[in-house]
Amino acid sequence: MLLLTCPNCGNRNVSEFRFGGELSSRPKDPSALSSTEWANYLYMRNNVMDAQTEWWHHNAGCGLWFLAERHTRTNEVIKTYPYAKRNA
Amino acid sequence: MSTSKTPIKLTPLHSITQRLGVTFTEEQGWRIPEVYTTEEDEITAARERVVLADETPNGKLLLEGDHAESVLMDALDLDPLQVNEGRDGIYCLRNDLFFITTPPGREVRAQKKLTTVSAASEQFVTVTEVTHGRAEIRVIGPASQELLSKVCGLDFHPAAFPNETAKQSSLAKTTQLIIRRDIGELPAFSIIGTQSLGVYVWDTLIEAGREFGVVPIGRAALAELIKG
Amino acid sequence: MRTEHDILITPNRLHPKGGEVIDRTTTIRFTFDGVEYTAHPGDTVASALTAAGVQVLSRSFKYHRPRGLLCCSGHCPNCLVQIGDEPNVRACTRPVEAGMEVRAQNVWPSLNRDLLSLTQLGSRFMPVGFYYKTFIRPQKLWPLYEHTLRHIAGLGEVHIDTPLGEFDKQYLHTDVVVAGGGPAGIGAALAAAEAGAQVLLFDENPTLGGHLRFTVPMDSSSPPEASKNLPELLEAVNHQPNITVFTDTSVLGWYQDHWLCAVKGTRLFKIRTKSVIVATGAYEVPLIFDNNDLPGVMLGSAVQRLVHLFGVLPGKQVVIVTANEDGWDVAADLQSLGVNVGAIVEERESNACSSPYRDGLINAGVPVFYRHIIVEALGSNAVRGAKITRIDEHGEISPKTTQSLHCDLIVTSMGWTPATELAYMAGGKSEYNEERAEIIPVSTPPGIYVVGRASGTHALDSQIAEAQQIGTAAAAFVGFGEVDGLTAHSPDISKPRRTSERVCVPGNKKRFVCYCEDVTDEDVQTAIAEGYDSIELLKRYSTISMGPCQGAMCSMNTIHLCAHANSSTIQETGTTTARPPTTPVTLGALAGQNMEPVQTTPIHQWHLDHGADMMVAGFWLRPNHYGDPASEAMGVRERAGLIDVSPLGKLQLTGPGVPELLERIYTNQWKNLPVGRVRYGVMCNDEGVVLNDGVCAHLNDETWYMTTTSTGATPIFEWLQWWLQSGWGEGIHLTDLTDAYSAFNLAGPQSRAVLEKLTDRNLTNKAFPYMRVRSAKVADVPCRLLRIGFTGELSYEVHCPSAYALHIWEALMDAGREFGIAPFGVEAQRILRLEKAHIIVGQDTDAMSDPLSANMAWAVKLDKPDFLGKPSLMRISTEGPKQLLVGFKMVDSDVVPDEGLQIVEPDADGRLTITGWVTSSRFSPTLAEAIGLCWLPPELASQDGAPFTIRIDGNLVEARVHHDAFYDPDGERLRM
Amino acid sequence: MWRSHELKKRYDVVIIGGGAHGLACAYYLAEEHGITDVAILEKSYIGAGGSGRNTAIVRSNYLTPEGVRFYDESVKLYEQLSDDLNFNVMFSQRGHLTLAHTDGGVNTMRRRAEVNQIEGVDSRLIWPDEIKRLCPYLDVSDHPRYPILAALYHPPGGIIRHDAVVWGYAHQADVRGAHIHQNTEVTGIKVKKGKVTGVETTRGRIKTGTVLNATAGWASTITTMVDIKLPLTTIPLQACVTEPLKPFLDVVVVSGSLHVYISQTDRGELVMGASVDPFSSYSMAGSLTFLEGIAGHVLELFPALSNVRILRQWAGICEMPPDYSPIMGFTPVNGFLIDVGWGTYGFKASPIAGKTLAELIATDKTPDLIAPFRLSRFEENDLVGEKGAASVGH
């Protein structure tokens, strides 16, 4: 079972978390998008077989939503960090 | 125009303890079990095996906010260290969220103090009393770690889970706050989670603890244990 | 004085000797196929039966050939039996219990006279994969063929009344796990523990020691008494506090981040460790020759287990077929017990043999045949003899030199293959070591180590030396002490090779590669010739290694045959994927204690005590009704009713930023909602699909109190937490109060009268109008009152602190008695809300429904700058919905169409086109007619009274669109 | 059964993915349209992907009319496939039960039954007494947590020998001239002026004007080679098998809310699967969580199986589209076609997917049957209604 490091609680079994999908931020001004651009935001995914930045929620723990960088083929978690530190 | 019956607070485990034909008592407005079998047997079970105690009446507050720590310090005029070490029932769940537990009844005063201080601080801090929302089951005794390691994936070895620490994790497939607060030499863990799951968690712990001879204990035995 | 029946008079029981695991002082009885046998405590079913002279234990899967003990270590399928309710039990590892009922599997009429073995007569027509090439035509006969095939196949039985059994689990945390408690495993555990690491040592046998328990260790450097190591090793383990031993426990699998699973009887262990040392030894590899599956053909290690652990001798006249020192080892063992070793058939030249027992055996007159190999096992139900031939200079057998030897036991010791599945699951890589003729692990990921026979090291002194090094390395890896660079592992070339490259001896009868599936070497050639030439295709086509032994007995031989047939190297041929579990594990152990979370409201017991019929709603148990939902509904319409709605999601939002958040997550306006007001809101995702609905009350300046559906409570809490923590959380705090408040909906024309008896709060319309929230003391308890109406009557939702729930509920029931109050359940609530045409998210809507189509356009304010779902709802509003949710009545008002029925339009020739479906329908007791909600095309839904047809039991039944609420369309009763 | 060939420089059609879909398409191209200059490129052995890892269930009792019509054609093709391919694929139409444990679940089953009947597919709602007759080992008592209220009974549904479908199509495609290239991985796709011109592989370059992406799990990694993004998330799907038992389970049993699929093979093993993993990944390692979950749920339905032993677990990877329906046909890049998005329901569609895509390649027109599954539906916000049942109707 994958070990995920919650930025707040430390190493925990992945069964304590809920996967939030690859990072895709909501457009700042949705009304500026064409319907195709909006459909792409809603539905299209990179779905890489590589390192991917994604959301996780420590729902059985401290309730923190945070980001993780994980290699999707090996499940190796490179790092996890709070959303606030995404540009750090 | 109030009715004749004065309001009495019941814990979520009240119905299953009632079925065991237990003698009840009242403390701080709560009806709680005084004793299940005999005080001596319950104390022996706690000292030699493992017991469960319904401590739902303990007061519970949540303090939320980026500046919760500073408000907490001002309110309880403590120096910062103690706040993070979980002394005197204050546990840091997240840098913006503190859990404060008080003996039954003392939560009202604590909430007032915190509310007035946070208002004065002009910081945006929210104080919420959640005593009614949580069931609190305390697992006490030498076999408590082994019992809990049948239903929870955390490492309960003393080095990994020392006294006076709080961890939020999955227990019996439900979200629980687990606080280790030993009673003298006896390891003791408070399992605090949403009250509608109280009966389910209690029944699951009783079933998992059968091999260790787990029994419930009432107020009398618990008080005696705490006196030491 | 030992009485008659204390002395076991069974043909194969040896007189007592040291190292036995049986208690000869007591006798227990069990039955096998109805016949009673005796055993000693510690005997396995197989050892007891062998002691009594029973050789045939099962019948093979396809040809139903008689099968007897082969490996005696729980890896081959030959001793699978049914014990009571338990199918597929390995008799050679299951201890005997008094009164056990053991039965052979898949035989008819009996084990010894199994008529199904007649299938062998047609074996010419049943080559590998025959079922793909037969029974094709005529197609309609296939079900008949299949029925017979199914009833011939299968092994054990599942009895329909088997009790569920008691199972549980335990999490363990440690620094180092050692899988395998043989000399190498013990040595590594001791070294790691001495360095300070916490070690868990697992072994599948009842006691530690591995092969030391039953073999005189083959160690050319020191004389036989090297076996004294076992007591020393056990002593050291007992005195090492850092080691915890688990016997009778198999490590089933390695999973990501050193997460291991092990099983001991009915308990499953789930282990988080930092390092794993794989010391699981090796499987002895069977030789393939004519009739090699005959009962009485056994592996050398199997005979030594029977002799040393259980004092049982499986045969009196033995032929040893070997290519390594182990064969001579077994010969010396048996010779010392007075057994007549009829011959040693040694594949190698005499100068290649270095066994210390050779001279002793030859001096004792044991005939030795160098450069010889067995070509056939003679006998029909059990071994009666062996045919052997010379091996010529080209390594081929020369049939002219064939001679027969009389014997009742053929022991083969031709070599080993490392049992390293755990290391390969963890990402270990292997290579075929030409010199050792074994597939050996050459690289393992950090924290994974392999030691002992599992890494190709057979000599005891080398094993112990390696174990010391590896144990120290593992401890250093987890942080205890350091070790200078660990030399890359390579098997000890100085010690003699233990495995022959010869795996198959040609012949003219059947030679079995896979015992579980009855696959012969000819089948392998045929399959490869037909194009199934990769090791994976060969496995899937021939089903080799897909049976109970999962390749323990056949993988190595199959790789050799596959490489040979493709004339490629063993390395090029490769291996199939190693998968958990390493040994089969019961569903009960994997399931463990039943832990299915159930949520109950604080007054759950009251409901049960008052005859409530409970229903499952998400994780909650809720009263569906108290006997008669229709009269419960009428009670609310005419008098007053009380329903427990505690499962409602209840979220507290505080802070200056809340109004802006509500604007963004709801589809309607929230900024201007004054304190004391309550508003209904619909939440959508960015696709415009309805996620949830509920009310939100503005309690005081910066405190809001939001409700959601009961199944929506946790999902919406997590949904809001995400938006707050990903950018929209400025000045907002969110707390889940779902269980902090219990909620009771007091509904009906008399509800004000009932409530007035319990509170001083002014309940008049002026002071407390519809869609308002008030704090009030009710029966001396501080509560929140929300004047909202899902049922369409005057009603108050009383939210009280949960510990007071029973007090408040009973107070309301007592106060209401004079007005004829009665509790009502979810079913009555569904009737009442349907009479008002209120939708239920999740029943009337699904994962495609938007609010504009679901008759909630009034709640969607598209003029707001932005909110979740707006772009999609803008598009739907311009293009117009494809379907609309609308009320309907039946023309024949007594017909109530089931929910889920389809709305259809017949074309000219009667073909039906589906245009919509019924989401809700009930017979309304108040209106005395059937009412419902359904999806319809917009052009139909927009005309009040428009007719359409519902398909009910194949015929088309007329219904009409009905726009307004069925009951009190103007909502006057709500505002009484 | 199939020969190995040298990689030609040029093929009329290149199919990426040697599973049941790709091989079926090659077969129908030759059989029905005479197009035989076809290469099937498989990076491993044929059937190594989803085709060799699924729980081999065949059914057509879907929710939407377009879904039901599509899968029903597949069932009809399966019914004659042994004869067509002269290879017994052992299609066992033993009946398929989808259990409902809540009122919502019963309504959804009724919805599917009604749509099925209207579309001419044999499917009906049955109640606990008939469920018990069809499947005596099921626990139809009213234990609180997951009571079996009703079931959608679909007699034509059943199980099949999935590898045999792969080998049968491979053999017949090979006989008709298609070249099956195993151990040949596509590493790049050449596009000039919006049109496909060739593919690069580990064994050399091929010129072609038509490329079909018939991979499952890896579809996005192929489609990114032509700069197209898909609405797919790759996620593991696990399964396991028990030791062989005498026959006792004569129907396929599926539970919506318990996410369990279980059937007994002709050899007597129970093959069991569940819903997709809780998080996306390309790893096929498999987890203990899956084994624990499925064991608990299977015992909830079949309490008599607690002594039955699991022999082996494995995992494959699949792609879940937002509306639980495939994505087939044309893409913005001319000549680059897709047969992807098959989630947990791909194997049962192999024949009809192969047939309709062969027709599309041959005629350059989208057959009506698969029009609802076009890639452009996401831009046109015309998602398939199967999504409706999936998330709500458990």
Side-chain angles (χ1 to χ4, degrees), chain A residues 60-78:
Chain A
C62 64
L64 186 72
W65 279 95
F66 58 94
L67 294 177
E69 214 179 295
R70 172 176 62 103
H71 197 292
T72 56
R73 200 177 54 72
T74 59
N75 279 343
E76 179 212 353
V77 179
I78 297 140

Side-chain angles (χ1 to χ4, degrees), chain D residues 32-227:
Chain D
E32 296 184 350
H33 306 284
I35 298 172
T36 58
D37 185 25
V38 176
I40 299 113
L41 309 179
E42 166 55 51
K43 71 176 180 192
S44 177
Y45 57 91
I46 56 173
S51 300
R53 296 165 189 264
N54 64 80
T55 49
I57 292 174
V58 177
R59 64 184 174 90
S60 61
N61 55 357
Y62 276 76
L63 173 67
T64 58
E66 58 270 31
V68 172
R69 266 184 238 116
F70 177 76
Y71 287 102
D72 191 39
E73 286 302 317
S74 213
V75 170
K76 291 195 178 83
L77 286 172
Y78 268 128
E79 281 165 353
Q80 62 185 64
L81 199 59
S82 295
D83 198 32
D84 290 351
L85 303 180
N86 192 29
F87 196 81
N88 189 351
V89 291
M90 292 188 263
F91 182 26
S92 169
Q93 289 183 288
R94 50 182 67 183
H96 181 280
L97 283 182
T98 313
L99 306 176
H101 304 278
T102 61
D103 295 346
V106 174
N107 290 351
T108 301
M109 295 310 148
R110 181 178 295 115
R111 228 177 128 183
R112 286 167 63 179
E114 292 296 312
V115 171
N116 288 185
Q117 286 160 25
I118 291 166
E119 292 298 328
V121 166
D122 183 2
S123 210
R124 57 191 168 83
L125 204 55
I126 61 173
W127 305 97
D129 45 19
E130 193 174 352
I131 295 171
K132 189 72 176 174
R133 263 203 313 283
L134 285 168
C135 190
Y137 280 70
L138 258 179
D139 175 2
V140 292
S141 68
D142 56 359
H143 49 69
R145 203 59 198 85
Y146 295 101
I148 296 175
L149 304 180
L152 177 65
Y153 177 49
H154 174 52
I159 56 171
I160 198 163
R161 184 72 187 89
H162 48 79
D163 290 319
V165 175
V166 171
W167 301 333
Y169 273 128
H171 174 57
Q172 295 300 342
D174 171 81
V175 160
R176 286 166 175 72
H179 286 190
I180 297 174
H181 298 291
Q182 297 183 86
N183 306 313
T184 309
E185 184 170 2
V186 170
T187 53
I189 300 177
K190 288 276 159 274
V191 176
K192 277 202 195 55
K193 292 198 280 310
K195 192 176 177 333
V196 166
T197 59
V199 289
E200 271 158 32
T201 80
T202 47
R203 282 172 56 208
R205 177 171 298 189
I206 302 174
K207 280 200 191 58
T208 181
T210 307
V211 170
L212 171 68
N213 175 2
T215 60
W218 289 277
S220 301
T221 63
I222 299 288
T223 317
T224 44
M225 295 176 183
V226 292
D227 294 332

Side-chain angles (χ1 to χ4, degrees), chain C residues 856-869:
Chain C
M856 294 187 278
W858 51 272
V860 180
K861 299 290 184 274
L862 291 175
D863 49 12
K864 290 203 302 184
D866 183 22
F867 59 90
L868 289 178

